Amino acid sequence: TRLSATWSPLVLGAGVALGCLPWAVGLTLGSLAPLGNRIPSAGLRVSLIRDGLQVAKQLRFLLEQVFLLIQWSLVTITMFALISLQYWLLAGAVAGGIRWDEAWIALGVSTLVAVASLLPLGLGVLDGTLAAVLARLGSTLAQGSIVAVSVRATVTLPLLLASKLVGFWSARL
């Protein structure tokens, strides 16, 4: 079954809210950082709290650089848009197509599950999740698997090759 048109804006709104959450938390905790200097040092827990507040202070400094934050956000959104475009085109070629917003949802869900798995590059988890999400959106599981393997071959393999080339190049310096 396809994702209802009513749910797409809600999922998109939740994604934007989740994207803004680290920014808001970073600014809030960063404002509490001066309190860390007043806490007397007594034990590991207090030391961890003080160190955490110092990290929050540094994070707040980065988040207050509005121009840098806007640039970073635009680059990140552009990269996600290109990957979702790839999902959309591959699903259209293999499985008869999904809508653009469904491609964004497939990207978001599969990426979140891959990150939560803590496996390097989400190996296997991202692929299985992407195939399952595409199957839920109207493709067959086999078609979703073809899209997932194609994505892995056209994204991950070139990145691995590029990292090896950079490693060889930097070793020569």
Side-chain angles (χ1 to χ4, degrees):
T1 62
R2 295 188 84 58
L3 190 66
S4 123
T6 317
W7 283 99
S8 295
L10 292 175
V11 170
L12 182 63
V16 169
L18 283 174
C20 292
L21 185 63
W23 174 73
V25 169
L27 288 178
T28 304
L29 287 179
S31 64
L32 297 176
L35 297 177
N37 296 333
R38 295 185 201 166
I39 300 174
S41 60
L44 179 64
R45 289 185 185 154
V46 173
S47 175
L48 288 174
I49 290 172
R50 186 181 304 114
D51 292 344
L53 289 173
Q54 285 301 100
V55 169
K57 181 179 177 182
Q58 293 170 353
L59 182 62
R60 181 179 181 187
F61 173 75
L62 290 174
L63 292 174
E64 286 176 343
Q65 306 299 318
V66 176
F67 185 66
L68 179 64
L69 188 61
I70 289 171
Q71 284 181 322
W72 179 80
S73 298
L74 288 176
V75 167
T76 302
I77 290 170
T78 301
M79 294 303 298
F80 285 152
L82 290 173
I83 295 171
S84 67
L85 176 66
Q86 180 185 23
Y87 284 15
W88 182 64
L89 291 172
L90 282 169
V94 172
I98 57 175
R99 292 191 324 254
W100 175 259
D101 57 337
E102 293 173 335
W104 274 96
I105 290 168
L107 168 66
V109 170
S110 61
T111 303
L112 284 174
V113 171
V115 168
S117 74
L118 300 177
L119 291 172
L121 298 175
L123 290 177
V125 176
L126 184 135
D127 310 316
T129 305
L130 179 58
V133 168
L134 290 176
R136 180 73 177 127
L137 293 174
S139 304
T140 66
L141 193 56
Q143 292 170 330
S145 299
I146 291 170
V147 170
V149 169
S150 300
V151 165
R152 182 65 73 182
T154 58
V155 173
T156 307
L157 290 177
L159 285 175
L160 288 174
L161 290 174
S163 69
K164 287 295 182 186
L165 289 174
V166 167
F168 290 138
W169 178 73
S170 64
R172 294 179 68 199
L173 294 178

